[in-house]
Amino acid sequence: MRIGFLRVLTLALIAGTLAGVVHSRPALAQEPLLPIEDWGRTASSGIDTFLILQTNLQPPYQHLRDGILGGYSISVLDCAFERIGVGYGLALAPRQRNREMVRTGRADGFFLARLSPVLDEYAVPSYPLALEKWVWISKRGSVPDRGGAQSLKPHASAPVGTILGSNEAEWLTEENYQDILHAPSMASLIAQVAKGHVDYVLVDKQSFEIARNELGFGSELFEMRFERYVPLVVYFSKAYLLRYPDFLDDLNNELEFCETLPMTLEPWERAAIERNQLPLIQKMAGASKLIANTRAELTEPAHTAETRKLLDLEWTAKVRGGELSTLASEILENPLSQYLREFQKASGGHVAEVFVFNLRGEVIGMNRVTSDYDQSDEPKHQMTGNINRGHALIDDIRFDASTRAFLSHITVPVIDPDTGNVMAALTVGLDVSSALRPES
């Protein structure tokens, strides 16, 4: 039960009493006073699971306004913790200090972090909260143009810049970059590029654009080249999870219900999918074996709307509990599903899931169990009524908990070659982290 909801800077003054793990320290000149947010809730079991999470300022994921810590990741965590009934507090510190506090047992977790074998030694990651889009930034005209958004990255011997202690800084070191400028903030990093002091910097696209606009720089001053997508997670200390072994599973189960907005596909990303992935998916939809297996499943008797609803409720409830309904088990074993599994395995990791649904929106084949059975309330089903041979629906990017990947769902019609009519629809969940890498 919620017994408090305070987001004020003055709580930092009582942090030691409130949580016992947040230590007072002198505030740095460029650093805000450490805020703590206290919900004071307990789990339904009655055991006090209150925990302290460390974070840093990184708009739009975490930002501080009028002493209140907010942002995309904060709203997602608020939602998930509320759903599981666990109280948590937040403290701000530089990223490197956050990791060290978790490693030494002075905090229960920190975010946002990329997946890292080093962090895995003393902490366990949650499902992703966000997906960063890392880009190389250079001053326009200062380096040769190498072909637009999907150009290759700078050579490891090139001087590059990034933010001190950032996820990007760790990755650059792992990639054996030798000449790295570590700036204390995004604003400082952008200034270094604008002055021509460093040729390339590696940053998150959203964070860069926010800081650039705040500094009053126009986009025309910079070149931008895509590097990769990076899922960001919360790392929880292994010591905390030993005390509360069910906590992380409970939190992960709720995160999929707390995402607020998809990541919009940029024009070049959509064009890349249409150029590189869509022709293969459309070829798959017209394959004689897929059509034959689809026809076989369409001979099954139709369910009433009420039966379909009950089957969907059972399906989704079982999936959330890590089980399969009888219907899901039967569909997974049919020839159509077996054929879809072959297609997914042959995709080289680009396809995370693939399924076929009939004109009523019922899944009739799938490589793995989908999160729900009835697709009739989805835009991809609503398009089947007036779809034509050349049409496709390409969705924006969302995190899919069932595959633990960030997907763009692409739906195309399955056409009956004898009549020319739509007989079903094929949906492919494209793993953008794999499929849209420059080297892909």
Side-chain angles (χ1 to χ4, degrees), residues 140 212 217-223:
R140 189 174 297 275
R212 183 199 65 201
F217 289 124
S219 60
E220 70 281 356
L221 183 63
F222 302 99
E223 299 274 4

Side-chain angles (χ1 to χ4, degrees), residues 245-382:
D246 297 330
F247 163 79
L248 189 52
D249 285 342
D250 292 343
L251 187 73
N252 284 335
N253 287 338
E254 301 300 337
L255 282 176
E256 64 176 302
F257 300 99
C258 293
E259 183 184 21
T260 55
L261 293 172
M263 176 179 284
T264 302
L265 283 169
E266 294 188 40
W268 75 264
E269 294 168 315
R270 190 172 293 273
I273 291 174
E274 291 174 347
R275 179 178 64 251
N276 300 326
Q277 307 295 335
L278 184 56
L280 298 175
I281 295 170
Q282 290 173 324
K283 182 179 179 180
M284 167 70 170
S288 58
K289 191 171 182 180
L290 181 133
I291 290 172
N293 286 325
T294 298
R295 277 179 173 157
E297 297 307 318
L298 293 177
T299 61
E300 294 292 324
H303 299 301
T304 66
E306 183 62 28
T307 299
R308 184 167 66 243
K309 181 178 179 180
L310 292 174
L311 289 171
D312 185 60
L313 288 173
E314 181 189 19
W315 181 300
T316 54
K318 291 283 188 179
V319 167
R320 289 199 63 190
E323 303 177 34
L324 295 177
S325 68
T326 301
L327 178 60
S329 297
E330 292 173 354
I331 293 175
L332 275 174
E333 295 303 317
N334 69 34
L336 176 57
S337 293
Q338 294 174 16
Y339 181 66
L340 294 177
R341 279 193 288 274
E342 294 173 6
F343 171 75
Q344 188 273 330
K345 290 178 182 177
S347 72
H350 292 177
V351 172
E353 71 171 351
V354 55
F355 58 92
V356 174
F357 58 89
N358 62 26
L359 298 184
R360 296 184 297 275
E362 301 162 340
V363 173
I364 59 174
M366 55 191 177
N367 75 304
R368 64 189 313 282
V369 66
T370 57
S371 57
D372 52 2
Y373 167 64
D374 185 7
Q375 309 293 312
S376 63
D377 60 343
E378 299 284 342
K380 56 178 168 282
H381 172 258
Q382 295 164 11

Side-chain angles (χ1 to χ4, degrees), residues 163-238:
I163 298 173
L164 179 66
S166 65
N167 291 310
E168 295 92 325
E170 292 178 351
W171 183 82
L172 287 171
T173 300
E174 292 172 4
E175 292 293 300
N176 296 317
Y177 280 85
Q178 303 298 320
D179 190 0
I180 305 175
L181 167 71
H182 294 94
S185 66
M186 181 69 76
S188 174
L189 193 63
I190 293 173
Q192 296 296 322
V193 179
K195 293 175 182 177
H197 292 172
V198 62
D199 287 343
Y200 297 95
V201 298
L202 184 63
V203 293
D204 169 57
K205 183 175 184 289
Q206 286 194 75
S207 299
F208 165 76
E209 290 176 338
I210 289 172
R212 183 199 65 201
N213 292 337
E214 290 178 348
L215 292 170
F217 289 124
S219 60
E220 70 281 356
L221 183 63
F222 302 99
E223 299 274 4
M224 183 180 295
R225 295 171 174 84
F226 174 68
E227 168 54 46
R228 65 184 52 234
Y229 292 101
V230 180
L232 298 180
V233 302
V234 183
Y235 264 100
F236 295 95
S237 76
K238 290 183 177 180

